[in-house]
Amino acid sequence: MDSHDMMVLGAINHGISKFGKIQRTVGINPKELDSILRRLEDSGLIRVEERKGWLGTKIEIVPTDAGKKEVDTCMVGLKDGWGKMAAIYKTGNKEGLKQVMDENKSSIPMMMFFGVMDMAMFGLMFGLIGATAADFLPDMSDADPGAGDFDFDIGF
């Protein structure tokens, strides 16, 4: 499962159940979100529920037990990865830190999204290895017209 899929599943797991709110929280275009939701539903990680209310039928997207377990498993891996980076940073080992950050490059956006990492320490890590955030975050400028700024809604 790629990072966008996991972030969408994580948002749903945190109670965000409407298409538009999921899109704004994760920061992806509607076409990509629709594709991700279809994959997650086909995989049995989410389900779509129709609820009748005063103003008509409401569509809500909810995680299944398997979806909740997938997010929990991912969180354990993200916390372990962050713990490893933090421990190596504290030793001052530049080469080791750069290697671990490179190994976790695809997980860094998820660590930020889920609020796993200490952002101040992460900034200090960049300084230690002589890197910038742009070296570790995806270029989202062509993901959606007008989405030139990559923005995370950290911590829900």
Side-chain angles (χ1 to χ4, degrees), residues 68-114:
K68 291 175 186 177
K69 184 177 180 181
E70 186 77 18
V71 171
D72 290 344
T73 301
C74 177
M75 291 298 291
V76 168
L78 293 174
K79 288 176 182 177
D80 287 348
W82 173 249
K84 185 186 270 187
M85 282 191 280
I88 292 174
Y89 167 75
K90 290 175 183 176
T91 69
N93 180 350
K94 288 183 189 183
E95 293 78 24
L97 179 60
K98 175 134 179 49
Q99 180 181 349
V100 171
M101 287 178 76
D102 285 340
E103 290 169 3
N104 286 286
K105 193 172 190 171
S106 65
S107 300
I108 288 174
M110 286 193 299
M111 289 178 187
M112 293 173 73
F113 181 81
F114 286 109

Side-chain angles (χ1 to χ4, degrees), residues 42 108 123 125:
D42 290 346
I108 288 174
M125 288 177 183

Side-chain angles (χ1 to χ4, degrees), residues 131-145:
T132 66
D135 296 329
F136 290 92
L137 296 177
D139 177 16
M140 297 297 288
S141 59
D142 64 348
D144 187 15

Side-chain angles (χ1 to χ4, degrees), residues 4 41 46 57 61 72 77 87 89 94 128 137:
H4 279 137
E41 187 175 24
I46 63 168
T57 303
I61 304 163
D72 290 344
Y89 167 75
K94 288 183 189 183
L128 180 66
L137 296 177

Side-chain angles (χ1 to χ4, degrees), residues 35-51:
S35 175
I36 290 169
L37 291 173
R38 289 178 194 278
R39 277 195 306 274
L40 294 174
E41 187 175 24
D42 290 346
S43 299
L45 300 174
I46 63 168
R47 67 178 178 276
V48 177
E49 294 182 350
E50 289 186 26
R51 298 179 189 234

Side-chain angles (χ1 to χ4, degrees), residues 8 18-24 26-39 61 140 142-147:
V8 168
K18 306 281 189 236
F19 187 94
K21 179 72 174 169
I22 296 167
Q23 180 193 357
R24 287 186 300 278
V26 178
I28 57 176
N29 68 52
K31 187 176 179 180
E32 183 179 3
L33 178 56
D34 184 60
S35 175
I36 290 169
L37 291 173
R38 289 178 194 278
R39 277 195 306 274
I61 304 163
M140 297 297 288
D142 64 348
D144 187 15

